[in-house]
Amino acid sequence: MIRVLLVDDQALVRGGFHSILDGQDDIEVVGEAADGMEAIDKALTLLPDVILMDIRMPRMDGIEATRRLLEGGRCPARVLILTTFDEDEYVYQALRAGASGFLLKSAPPRELAGATRTVAAGEALLAPEITRRMIEEYVRRPRPGTGRPAGLEALTPRELEVLGLIARGRSNAEIGAELYLSEATVKTHVTRVLAKLGLRDRIQAVVFAYECGLVKPGY
């Protein structure tokens, strides 16, 4: 059973999500919170597997709540950001804070349950319709002379290829097809890339690849 905490300052929104998720055999909503401060208290008490987190809320927004919950492994929960099309900059900041992905509030009910399962399984959720736009607009290119981060030197040429394809939103199956590798081999490469760079998941790998200049926006 996947235990979920709902965080949104609108009671009607929380109620709608609650109804959708409670109708799933493998998902249980264990609590609700109306702002970031309440979310932190509830998360540390209820220990959910997944937190569905809104961004703009009173007292403390979802970005700061995500950062405080995840820093230093304080909370083991995975955070799924709920967003709208006009919040790209905030979403990027939340991903940098450690969120595992994001989902549009306008997504069909079945996608909410599926996204919850994906994040609970330890995978990152990248929504293609806004990932590229968000990263290209808000990730800054390295300044001249800064060079590549030292971590990249630890990667093999193949691992660098894999990292570049992750940054372009490719799935393991798509990476395998492009590089003529089995999906199991790709998974091994992805695991090694994340371990060598000290990254939590594919989301952080995407941000890292763009920020260090490995991948150029638009390519």
Side-chain angles (χ1 to χ4, degrees), residues 8-9 11 14 18 33 58 72 77 90 109 136 162 174 196 198 206:
D8 196 294
D9 61 329
R14 295 198 309 272
H18 197 139
Y90 300 104
E136 290 181 5
V162 170
E174 291 169 336
K196 287 182 178 181
V206 171

Side-chain angles (χ1 to χ4, degrees), residues 3 14 30 44 58-59 72 82 89-90 94 105-106 110 113 118-119 129 132 158 167 170-171 176 189 198 200 212 219:
R3 294 164 50 82
R14 295 198 309 272
V30 296
L44 296 178
R59 293 209 300 169
L82 303 172
E89 181 177 10
Y90 300 104
K105 287 186 175 181
S106 59
R110 66 179 181 279
T118 296
V119 170
E129 64 267 35
R132 178 174 297 178
R158 178 63 84 188
R170 304 287 200 278
S171 66
H189 282 311
R200 175 172 174 166
C212 75
Y219 290 88

Side-chain angles (χ1 to χ4, degrees), residues 1-4 20-29 49 113-114 116-118 120:
M1 187 67 70
I2 301 171
R3 294 164 50 82
V4 175
I20 293 170
L21 295 177
D22 261 0
Q24 308 298 313
D25 294 335
D26 57 340
I27 298 175
E28 176 189 9
V29 177
D49 301 305
T116 300
R117 294 187 183 98
T118 296

Side-chain angles (χ1 to χ4, degrees), residues 160-182:
L160 282 172
E161 285 184 298
V162 170
L163 176 58
L165 292 172
I166 291 173
R168 293 181 176 90
R170 304 287 200 278
S171 66
N172 285 354
E174 291 169 336
I175 294 173
E178 189 161 339
L179 299 181
Y180 302 101
L181 300 171
S182 70

Side-chain angles (χ1 to χ4, degrees), residues 198-217:
L199 303 174
R200 175 172 174 166
D201 52 34
R202 295 173 84 101
I203 286 280
Q204 290 193 343
V206 171
V207 173
F208 177 90
Y210 274 89
E211 284 190 329
C212 75
L214 179 64
V215 177
K216 297 180 180 180

